[in-house]
Structure formats: structure tokens, C-alpha cells
Amino acid sequence: MRTLFTSFIVSAILTTACCTVRAQTLQLQAHTTFGWRGDGSIQAGPTPSGGDYYWLASNSGSGTGDNLNRGMAHNPLNNHLYIPFRTNSTSAPEGVHILDGTTGAEITPGLDISGITNGGTITLIKIDVADDGVIYAMNFGSAPGTKNTVYRWSDETSVATVAFAGNPAPTTSSQWGYTFDVRGAGPNTQILLTTSSTTPASGRVASLLTTADGTNFTARQLNTDAEPGSIGYYGAAAFGPGNTFWAKSLNNPLQYFSFDTNAGTATVLKLYDLNEFPATIGPFGVQLANNRVAGVDVSTPDSIMLFSFASTTGDMAFLSRTNAPTDNINRYGMGSVIFKGNMVYSLDCNNGVWALDIVSAAPPPSAPYISGPVLRYGPAGTNLPLASFVSGSPAPTIRWQVSHSISNTAFVDIPGATTPVLTLTNLQVSDEGLYHLVASNEWGVLTSVDAQVLVFPDTTGMITPLWSLAPGSRPYVTPDATSTPYQRALTYNALSNQVIIVSRTNTTSVSGLTINVINATTGADLYKLDKTDITGGSIILLAIAAADDGAIYACNQVNSASATTPLKIYRWANSGPGTVPALIFTNGPSDFFGTTRWGDTLAVRGSGINTELLLDDLSGTAAILKPTDATMLTWTSTVFTAFYGSGTIGRSLEFGLTNTIWQKKRSNRLLLASYEAALGIGLEQASYEAFSTNLGPVALNSSRQLLAGIEFATVQQPVNAVILPDMLVVYNVEDLANPRLIGRFPMPAGQTAARPNANSIAQVIFQGNRLYAVEGNNGIMGFTVPYPTLDITRIGSSSLLRWASAEPGYKLQATPALSGGWTNLPQTATNINSRYLVSDSTAEPMKFYRLKK
């Protein structure tokens, strides 16, 4: 990768005796006849009144998918622009409105939408026009669950007909509709789609729709070699010459592909440096006749940028940029960019439409401008480039800064980092932090947004992934239930080596409930637990836990203690397929649970008559339940005050040593409390705040001194996109006040972005040498946490002992007889080549060694 972008100053200086002359270059300036302001803009406004037109909306949404104008097309035959509008996130379009391309005046009526069926997650999202003036538009949704539909208008006065309906890539389950490009005419018309999925299995496919009669289209799947999620997730795609196309996702590099319809493949020919074409560009358009590209950069403030290229595989040369007249949040980086001769039209979602002329002009002096950097993450030991696009005249000087402080107050210069690309070599956890760059010239000083760097530590010998279940991979692992997860809890039965997952398709009906048993080593489906006589509750079954004797306990969730919705706890004597659950506890209106919410948490320890169950509620109360006799059918309960107080649904609860409990939720401390159940009181023992504020539910393994939890994604710059997956993180917690990160694993929902998870609901469990995690709408994962292997070599009268140093903190102990006591060896272990070495000199004919933590 180049370390200096040499093309952002496109003027040459010629000095004469009397003056300085600047060379001419292409610039963007307002097309003043478009709109009534004289700045080339038609602006959006909040619904229902709208902006300059009632249907031009600025609703940015809150993750529910508003953003009501996402696509625009230009008809070269009549110079008309077409813009779909819908009144909410899922409804059929209110209309497809028409604007005059010269003045921006609305032309009525709009397109006839009577042929549009109410299908897809969004019924109509993108639109484009073929060379013969035929208009095409598409819905948005995930196939095969959604029938992706392309509609066709033969002209502005016709009724829409269905040109294509089905899965654009039949071998995958993919999301389509963010990208849509049309070229050709009649039977030579082609339509390009790229997936907006992010999962490894389906996040790298494209599709080419072709037609033999100019009316009905078929799809040809194109499997690309791109990174999953990088070719259409909040982005755009555009045909190149012949069998080529460009594509990108927001916060990903622009890529140029060649495709082979016979082989069904598309291969990356060019991956553009982020310092020559900003990652923060979402929608873009290409003008092949003049070798130009323009795109909407949705970093603050939004702007349109113009580039040129000498060849399709050559570098991009920056020409000009102009800030948008408004800067409402474009949450998903949606919109359209269209060339028309020496003009560019742009739809910037939530900001409206603007028209710009491409003219020759001397580049004026300008203050620095920076796009990027964006969040990056990678495995330890690799090289990680951070890139930004920088412009200004004269060329700005650059310096990178880093802050390793959680409080984000201690940025310091990085020696030698003075180009738009900063490459972190031999990446280590110590490199984690916030990075930005400062650009300055005589016209100003500008600091970029902060970009977070995350590192995946090398977990070899410490944590081994076993399997993962992505959302949608099985009927009981659902991808999204309007952000409220249908999978919230799991447990591990060590006696049967099984993971048991509670899933549902609704809240209250037993018909929607499944209790799924899978092989804990392979993740293979086995069977489902019996659910006879499970009834009631705001959620019919939620939390689940396995005791040491293999008994399974689960409870419903209630929001009050009314007699009609009591809290119920069930027990399966074992996790066999024919075992029927027994109702072991139910509370009435006079019981201890009061009027708050219970059932989101359930922990268990012990076995048989010594079994204890632990629950807590949202108001700062916890409860211990114990069986009264060996039948295990009758249980008593005592309550005590817990110090965590009221909080969110997504939290963790587990037993500590003796009479202690651990609690954790997102944006709050890890808390250790002791309790005296007989007195009904709890006492805070310690709290730990050194963990990320985005760390949610956790699990602890005290014998291994490990903590694992779900670290939730945050909205990164630009503020309109979540570009980070939720992750399972693992810490060494020999010192809880100073945890040391030793593992980070993206949840299987995708390598690019987290799925919505209202209330940050998740559960993580340790048991023995196993680690399992479920996160609402983001999948399930299983791991082994192997114990270190101790190697012994006899050398004369000494023993040389070696074990991996990846997981420190073990003590080497020895005994001459297994029936005797163990003692710590006094020698200090030496760390050599990632191995601990100890030489033990002994005269005994036999000696036993072990590692203990």
C-alpha cells in the first residue's frame, strides 16, 4: 500500500516575473437553476410536512429503518429524475415522484405504482433507468425468506409489471436491495445486484439479471473473492466496461471486479487504497465516457467528491469536493449518484437532492479536509493499515496521534507517522486504542474522527473454537425478531456433554417453544427436551441451567406476582429425550417476588438435596431456592437485597465462592456481593470498573482465573453505521482490577456488523474446560479452554519440565507419591520461546508433577 497520496493537489505552479499562474482542473459547483435557492439543492425535511416537497423526508430513524428516500434514477431520454417515497419503514411506496432534471420542479403525476405488490422488508427501495428509457425498481429483503422483486415500467405512463421475482443467488441466503445498477436496452438490458449480507457464507455474492425478450429476467449468481460484507452493505455497485463492475460497502474499500457468467464467478482486479478513495463514501456513480467517479462521503459534514481515473485498474485521482447544503444523519449511507454529461446529481438520504456542474477552474486555496480513518481490527502479529483521505491546498502536513486511555484524554504523537496511511506492524494488544490524525496548512488545522483499533490475540493453546451457529442457520437460531431476541439462554450439561438452548417463535404459546439439545463438541442437533405442561408467563420459558448431577432447571419470565402469571420453575431429572419436566416452584400474589420482573436470570450449583438456585430481579433483589427433601419437588425460597439495583434485562448472575454472587450488565461495573439469606441482606464486597463500558453479561472461571463476556458493538464514525460485530471477549483476571485481554471472537452474525439486540441480551457460561455463549439475534458459539500440557524430560538426576506460556499464573507442584501432599517447587519458571521451563533436581526414583492455578 502506498504511504502517500500524491494526487490530492492537482495544480501546478508557474512563476514569472509578474505573477503566479495556477493550472486549470475540474471543479464542482452548484447548478444554480436546480431548486429555488440557487445552490443546486432541493432539501429534505422531517415528515409529515417534509422538506421542499412533502415527500422529501429527513427522518433518520433510530435503527428501525426509516430513511424514507433511498434511491434515485435519471432518464436520459427526457431528463427526468425518479425518487421513491414511503411513509414508514415497511409500507408500500406512497409514490415514485418525478423531478425536472434542469429546474428540480415536480412533474405530476408520478409513476403508476398500482402494480407494486406489498412484498419485501421494504417494498420499493432502489430505482434505475435503462438506455431505452425503461424504468426498473427493486424491493429490499433477504432471500429465500423474501421474494426479491424487480419491477418494470416501459415508460412513465405505464403500469409496473414484475420483471423478476425470486432469489438472485439461489445457493445462498442473502440480503438484497441496497445496490442496483441497470445498463443496455431491450433484450440486451442487464441489472447488477450485490449482496448486503455480511456473513462469510453469503456476504460475498453478486447477481446479474439478464433478459432474452426485454421483459422477463433471470438471475445468474456470481461468487466473488471479496471479503464478506464488503460489496454492498450500505454501499453501491456500478457496471464497468464489458464484464466488469465496481462495488463497495460503507467503511470498506472500493473494489473493481471482472465477472464470468459461465463460471459464475467475479474476481477482484483492483482494491483501491483508502487514502485515494475514502471508505466513508457510500453511494457512488461512474461515468465511463469521461473516466469519472463521484460519491457521497457521509462523514461529517456530508459532501460529494469527484475523482478521475486514467484506466479502470489505475489509481483514482481526486479532483474536487463540495459540502452538502444540509448535514442530517444519513444513518445507512444510502442514496444515489448519477452523471449526466458535465453534471452530477446526488440523492443523499435525509438531506435531499443536489445538482452540481463539472467545470474547469483554478483550485482555490483551501483548509485541510479529512475523511476517515475508520475502525479496524485484526489478529495479533499481522500488519494493520489505518488510512485516511486528506486534501487541501497547499498540501497539509500530517501527524498521527494515539490514545490508549479509556477516558480518551491522552492523545500523543506517533513518531514518524506523517502520511495519510499509518500501518501498525506486528499488531499486539498493546496497540489497541483510539487513533486520529491532525492535518494543517496555512488555511487551518483539522483533527480527524477517532478510529478504534481492536486486536484479536493469539489464543493458541488457550481457547479453541469448536463450532458456531449463525442466525438463520437453524430454525431455532433466529436472525432478528424486531430486535427482541428469541434466544436468550443456554446451559451445558457436563454429564451428557450437551448444550441445551431455549428458543421460541412467540412469547406465550407453548407451540412456539423448543428446548433444543445439541452435541456440545460438534454442535450437531440431537433432539428436543419434553415440554409437557409448561404454561404461563410473560415469556413462557427463558432462563435455563444444569446442575452438577445433570438435572436441568428452567423458568418462565413474569412482570408481576399476580396469581394469573406466577413465576414457574421446572426441573428435568436429566436431559434425556423422554424426561418429562416437573413443576417444582410457583409463586402466588403473597410470595416474595413482589411486582417487579423476574426470570431473566437463573443460576444453579450443587447436586441433589444440596442444589441451590439463584435468581435476581430488576429492582435490586435476589433469591435463593433450596429443595426441602430428596424428592426434589418442593422448594423453599429466601430473599436478600442485592446491590446492583434496577437495570436492564440483559445481565448476568452467577454464584461465587461460598455465599457470594457476581452480577454484570452493560455500562455498569462487575459486582461481587455476599449475602446472608437468613437475614435477608446482601453486602457489596468489591466492584471492578476496568472493563469496557460495552461489556455486557459475563461468566467467570475462578479456578482458571478467566472471565468471558459479550462486548457489544458501538456506533462508530461516521455516526450513521455500525461497522463492528458484537464479540465474545476473554480476559485473564488474576488481578480483576487490571484484566488482561487474551481472546476476542466475533459473534457469528457476521464479520462486519452486529444485528440489533434490544436490551443487550446474552449469556456466557464456563463449565470445566468448556465455554459457550449465546447472544440475541447474533448467534451461538462453543469453545474448549484446554488445560496446559506439562512435558517432562529426564536428564540425569534432573527433570526438565515445560508448558506453554500463553496462559500464565500456574504453579508447578510435585509429590513423591500420589497419596502424599503436593508442594510448590521453589524454582522460578523461565519463559523461553513461549514456553515455561523449570529444571528440578531430585534423587527420588519416582516423582509426580502437576500444574495448579
Side-chain angles (χ1 to χ4, degrees):
M1 181 174 288
R2 298 180 304 158
T3 58
L4 179 64
F5 180 44
T6 59
S7 299
F8 55 71
I9 299 300
V10 291
S11 61
I13 306 299
L14 174 63
T15 303
T16 69
C18 63
C19 61
T20 297
V21 179
R22 288 177 173 265
Q24 298 290 298
T25 187
L26 296 179
Q27 299 288 299
L28 294 171
Q29 68 179 30
H31 188 76
T32 56
T33 65
F34 191 84
W36 56 269
R37 293 182 178 83
D39 62 358
S41 71
I42 299 176
Q43 296 181 11
T47 55
S49 59
D52 291 350
Y53 297 115
Y54 78 89
W55 47 266
L56 206 54
S58 65
N59 295 42
S60 60
S62 57
T64 57
D66 286 345
N67 304 282
L68 305 179
N69 310 111
R70 299 195 184 190
M72 180 176 69
H74 177 262
N75 192 330
L77 302 187
N78 57 19
N79 195 28
H80 287 175
L81 296 168
Y82 307 114
I83 303 173
F85 170 65
R86 55 201 170 89
T87 56
N88 58 54
S89 60
T90 59
S91 69
E94 179 271 349
V96 178
H97 297 268
I98 306 174
L99 296 181
D100 182 279
T102 301
T103 65
E106 183 168 11
I107 298 171
T108 57
L111 297 186
D112 188 320
I113 62 170
S114 61
I116 305 295
T117 57
N118 190 18
T121 307
I122 298 174
T123 307
L124 204 64
I125 183 170
K126 301 294 276 188
I127 191 166
D128 204 358
V129 179
D131 296 343
D132 54 5
V134 175
I135 305 163
Y136 297 88
M138 186 178 179
N139 68 353
F140 171 78
S142 297
T146 296
K147 182 181 288 186
N148 289 115
T149 306
V150 176
Y151 301 97
R152 179 184 186 275
W153 292 261
S154 59
D155 56 44
E156 286 184 5
T157 63
S158 63
V159 176
T161 60
V162 174
F164 172 83
N167 186 349
T171 68
T172 70
S173 177
S174 282
Q175 195 177 67
W176 304 91
Y178 283 149
T179 68
F180 187 73
D181 194 38
V182 180
R183 71 175 176 184
N188 296 316
T189 304
Q190 295 180 329
I191 301 174
L192 173 66
L193 313 173
T194 56
T195 180
S196 57
S197 298
T198 60
T199 61
S202 58
R204 51 164 57 100
V205 296
S207 182
L208 184 71
L209 307 185
T210 59
T211 177
D213 60 7
T215 303
N216 301 292
F217 286 74
T218 58
R220 181 65 168 116
Q221 179 174 328
L222 301 174
N223 298 314
T224 80
D225 58 351
E227 288 296 314
S230 69
I231 62 172
Y233 188 76
Y234 308 158
F239 280 111
N243 287 355
T244 66
F245 65 87
W246 284 272
K248 81 179 298 291
S249 295
L250 185 64
N251 295 325
N252 282 266
L254 177 67
Q255 300 172 81
Y256 181 60
F257 296 84
S258 67
F259 64 87
D260 184 335
T261 54
N262 293 323
T265 59
T267 305
V268 176
L269 298 178
K270 168 76 173 179
L271 184 69
Y272 292 85
D273 288 353
L274 295 179
N275 63 311
E276 62 176 312
F277 196 88
T280 46
I281 286 179
F284 69 89
V286 178
Q287 187 181 50
L288 292 176
N290 294 312
N291 288 358
R292 296 171 183 166
V293 178
V296 176
D297 186 333
V298 295
S299 56
T300 303
D302 287 10
S303 63
I304 188 165
M305 304 182 72
L306 180 67
F307 304 83
S308 67
F309 54 89
S311 68
T312 53
T313 56
D315 294 340
M316 289 285 176
F318 168 68
L319 298 177
S320 180
R321 65 176 291 273
T322 299
N323 286 347
T326 61
D327 192 33
N328 299 314
I329 292 175
N330 183 342
R331 183 176 176 86
Y332 302 124
M334 299 296 294
S336 297
V337 177
I338 303 162
F339 282 95
K340 175 208 158 188
N342 282 324
M343 284 184 61
V344 177
Y345 295 102
S346 174
L347 170 69
D348 181 8
C349 186
N350 301 318
N351 288 280
V353 182
W354 29 314
L356 296 168
D357 293 317
I358 303 171
V359 300
S360 295
S366 61
Y369 167 79
I370 305 173
S371 177
V374 296
L375 178 145
R376 297 297 307 275
Y377 55 89
T382 61
N383 296 337
L384 185 71
L386 295 175
S388 290
F389 177 91
V390 181
S391 69
S393 181
T397 59
I398 294 169
R399 54 191 174 94
W400 283 86
Q401 296 183 321
V402 62
S403 170
H404 299 297
S405 168
I406 294 176
S407 62
N408 187 16
T409 59
F411 278 93
V412 296
D413 288 348
I414 302 173
T418 58
T419 66
V421 176
L422 170 66
T423 299
L424 303 176
T425 59
N426 189 24
L427 193 65
Q428 300 298 320
V429 172
S430 59
D431 291 317
E432 288 200 339
L434 297 174
Y435 291 76
H436 65 218
L437 61 93
V438 180
S440 60
N441 64 12
E442 61 189 86
W443 298 96
V445 178
L446 181 65
T447 300
S448 75
V449 295
D450 297 335
Q452 188 175 5
V453 168
L454 297 174
V455 180
F456 296 161
D458 182 1
T459 61
T460 304
M462 291 187 296
I463 306 165
T464 304
L466 286 173
W467 47 264
S468 65
L469 300 178
S473 62
R474 293 183 184 171
Y476 56 84
V477 187
T478 55
D480 185 72
T482 62
S483 300
T484 300
Y486 281 163
Q487 296 82 47
R488 303 186 179 205
L490 52 69
T491 191
Y492 172 58
N493 187 347
L495 295 187
S496 59
N497 191 39
Q498 295 170 337
V499 170
I500 304 166
I501 304 161
V502 176
S503 182
R504 57 193 173 86
T505 57
N506 54 59
T507 55
T508 58
S509 171
V510 72
S511 63
L513 171 68
T514 57
I515 311 163
N516 309 278
V517 181
I518 66 177
N519 184 296
T521 303
T522 66
D525 275 314
L526 297 176
Y527 49 83
K528 303 183 188 307
L529 287 188
D530 189 285
K531 56 183 182 180
T532 301
D533 294 332
I534 292 178
T535 60
S538 301
I539 297 176
I540 193 168
L541 204 69
L542 198 159
I544 191 166
D548 295 343
D549 56 7
I552 308 299
Y553 298 86
C555 65
N556 66 355
Q557 179 267 310
V558 296
N559 293 323
S560 68
S562 67
T564 57
T565 58
L567 178 80
K568 295 183 178 181
I569 302 177
Y570 303 90
R571 179 181 185 269
W572 291 258
N574 55 62
S575 57
T579 303
V580 177
L583 179 63
I584 62 169
F585 181 88
T586 183
N587 76 300
S590 62
D591 289 319
F592 69 83
F593 287 104
T595 59
T596 189
R597 174 173 173 138
W598 291 82
D600 292 296
T601 61
L602 176 67
V604 63
R605 69 177 173 186
S607 62
I609 193 67
N610 295 314
T611 303
E612 292 181 308
L613 300 180
L614 172 67
L615 304 91
D616 71 353
D617 72 352
L618 289 183
S619 64
T621 303
I624 297 285
L625 282 72
K626 298 180 180 181
T628 60
D629 55 55
T631 67
M632 307 296 288
L633 296 178
T634 305
W635 294 61
T636 60
S637 60
T638 55
V639 299
F640 58 91
T641 301
F643 279 81
Y644 219 53
S646 60
T648 59
I649 295 169
R651 63 190 188 278
S652 59
L653 172 73
E654 64 178 279
F655 282 106
L657 299 175
T658 60
N659 62 330
T660 61
I661 65 171
W662 292 97
Q663 294 170 292
K664 180 72 176 76
K665 62 185 177 183
R666 185 176 185 176
S667 301
N668 211 322
R669 57 192 173 155
L670 172 67
L671 176 67
L672 175 66
S674 63
Y675 61 88
E676 293 291 342
L679 300 178
I681 60 173
L683 297 173
E684 181 176 331
Q685 296 296 312
S687 64
Y688 304 93
E689 304 193 27
F691 299 96
S692 163
T693 57
N694 292 315
L695 183 66
V698 302
L700 289 103
N701 184 324
S702 58
S703 66
R704 304 287 294 278
Q705 295 177 304
L706 298 175
L707 177 145
I710 299 298
E711 186 175 76
F712 294 96
T714 57
V715 177
Q716 302 295 328
Q717 291 288 349
V719 295
N720 49 28
V722 176
I723 61 171
L724 184 69
D726 292 347
M727 299 194 190
L728 175 73
V729 292
V730 185
Y731 291 90
N732 178 291
V733 288
E734 293 174 82
D735 180 1
L736 270 165
N738 296 285
R740 182 172 59 85
L741 181 71
I742 62 172
R744 178 176 273 133
F745 305 90
M747 292 302 294
Q751 300 300 305
T752 303
R755 290 181 180 270
N757 177 358
N759 299 304
S760 302
I761 293 169
Q763 185 179 16
V764 183
I765 56 172
F766 275 111
Q767 190 163 344
N769 69 335
R770 295 294 176 86
L771 168 63
Y772 297 97
V774 58
E775 196 225 317
N777 301 325
N778 284 268
I780 305 169
M781 295 194 293
F783 302 83
T784 58
V785 188
Y787 294 96
T789 301
L790 183 62
D791 297 325
I792 305 176
T793 303
R794 186 74 171 180
I795 304 175
S797 61
S798 297
S799 296
L800 182 64
L801 301 109
R802 294 169 292 187
W803 69 96
S805 64
E807 189 179 341
Y810 283 94
K811 295 177 180 179
L812 182 62
Q813 297 183 326
T815 182
L818 290 176
S819 59
W822 293 87
T823 59
N824 295 335
L825 289 183
Q827 292 93 337
T828 301
T830 302
N831 189 344
I832 299 177
N833 295 328
S834 299
R835 304 279 288 177
Y836 283 124
L837 279 78
V838 168
S839 179
D840 181 36
S841 184
T842 178
E844 290 99 332
M846 182 179 295
K847 199 169 188 180
F848 300 91
Y849 298 89
R850 73 180 184 184
L851 295 170
K852 185 176 182 181
K853 199 174 191 180

